[in-house]
Amino acid sequence: MAAVVIIEDDQRIRELMARVLAEKGYEVEGAGTALDGLQRIVQTSPDVVVLDMGLPDLDGADLLKMIRAVTDVPVVVATARSEDRDVIRTLDAGADDYLVKPFSVEQLEARVRAVLRRSSSDAAQPSIEVGELKLDPSARVATLRGSVIQLSPKEFDLLVYLAERQGTVVSKRQLMAEVWRQPYGGSEKTVDVHISWLRKKLGESAAESRYLETVYGVGVKLVEPA
Ligand code: CA
């Protein structure tokens, strides 16, 4: 059973998140202030932390740095800021993933599950299905209509990252930061090139997309073909 510390000053939201995660089998502790949260992290060494960036006693980014000074625990940040630069700043400060408010409890649980999966590479990772596309992150095997598709390691990582967020638009900047681990350097052209290679392997094109839908000026999302 994985232990979660939720640091959120809004009691109503904190209790809702705690209840949902507890129902899913997590052991949950809540904290209403940054300092209380930090203390609980030090005392209980949880498997994952959910951190609200807007706290009364300390800026969330400062708290994140303090957490990073003591532990590598995966941190999912909840933020009301959705601008690219804020997201990048958050990831750069040491967050593993983030949620933009308002988010659903399903999104919360999915992110917590995703960071836990990434942090415990030994554990069996559940496969992901989108339409006729099936990804097995543990075995690193992708199949389409039952046939294996040959993907490079980066293509596979990119596809899994998008599949974990199916239906959600992901920016190229975010992909550079998270799949390529290059929040600043690196060209977004790299993403474009990999997307076009993926399209070819999925048997589609930019003009006739099925799984990979480009949202002009925003990014790309993986969808179940109509
Ligand atoms: Ca808050």
Side-chain angles (χ1 to χ4, degrees):
M1 185 163 59
V4 186
V5 166
I6 298 171
I7 309 173
E8 162 66 75
D9 60 315
D10 185 320
Q11 191 188 347
R12 199 180 51 86
I13 298 176
R14 186 176 66 240
E15 285 176 358
L16 174 67
M17 291 198 288
R19 194 172 66 235
V20 169
L21 292 177
E23 277 167 7
K24 294 285 181 184
Y26 294 93
E27 197 178 297
V28 187
E29 280 205 46
T33 64
L35 293 180
D36 184 25
L38 189 60
Q39 200 169 12
R40 277 170 204 268
I41 290 167
V42 171
Q43 281 167 355
T44 66
S45 55
D47 300 295
V48 57
V49 172
V50 178
L51 168 65
D52 169 36
M53 291 303 272
L55 293 167
D57 54 335
L58 255 184
D59 180 63
D62 291 335
L63 175 59
L64 193 49
K65 283 178 200 147
M66 292 166 76
I67 293 172
R68 278 289 161 259
V70 294
T71 167
D72 284 332
V73 64
V75 177
V76 177
V77 155
T79 172
R81 310 154 185 169
S82 64
E83 301 258 359
D84 264 2
R85 61 175 178 279
D86 290 323
V87 167
I88 288 162
R89 197 174 71 96
T90 303
L91 294 172
D92 208 42
D96 295 86
D97 211 334
Y98 68 96
L99 286 156
V100 176
K101 290 183 172 184
F103 53 82
S104 68
V105 290
E106 289 81 12
Q107 286 173 316
L108 168 70
E109 211 248 321
R111 293 296 193 279
V112 166
R113 212 167 352 109
V115 293
L116 279 173
R117 188 163 54 219
R118 290 205 292 267
S119 74
S120 60
S121 49
D122 300 342
Q125 302 177 22
S127 61
I128 311 166
E129 278 182 58
V130 183
E132 294 173 310
L133 176 66
K134 196 169 172 186
L135 303 172
D136 180 346
S138 298
R140 295 188 69 83
V141 170
T143 58
L144 183 63
R145 276 175 240 107
S147 308
V148 173
I149 25 179
Q150 299 297 336
L151 300 174
S152 73
K154 266 307 173 228
E155 288 167 351
F156 189 83
D157 291 344
L158 175 60
L159 202 51
V160 168
Y161 189 84
L162 292 170
E164 281 174 341
R165 293 160 180 74
Q166 59 177 287
T168 305
V169 185
V170 179
S171 73
K172 290 176 193 172
R173 190 78 65 82
Q174 187 180 337
L175 292 171
M176 279 313 295
E178 301 227 21
V179 178
W180 277 267
R181 297 276 161 206
Q182 291 186 21
Y184 301 112
S187 156
E188 291 176 10
K189 198 83 192 143
T190 307
V191 177
D192 290 334
V193 169
H194 279 79
I195 293 284
S196 79
W197 287 340
L198 271 183
R199 279 197 205 284
K200 215 166 276 177
K201 292 178 179 180
L202 293 173
E204 61 177 66
S205 64
E208 277 177 80
S209 71
R210 295 183 69 237
Y211 287 96
L212 292 164
E213 202 173 287
T214 301
V215 180
Y216 188 73
V218 185
V220 65
K221 65 178 168 183
L222 188 74
V223 294
E224 192 173 335

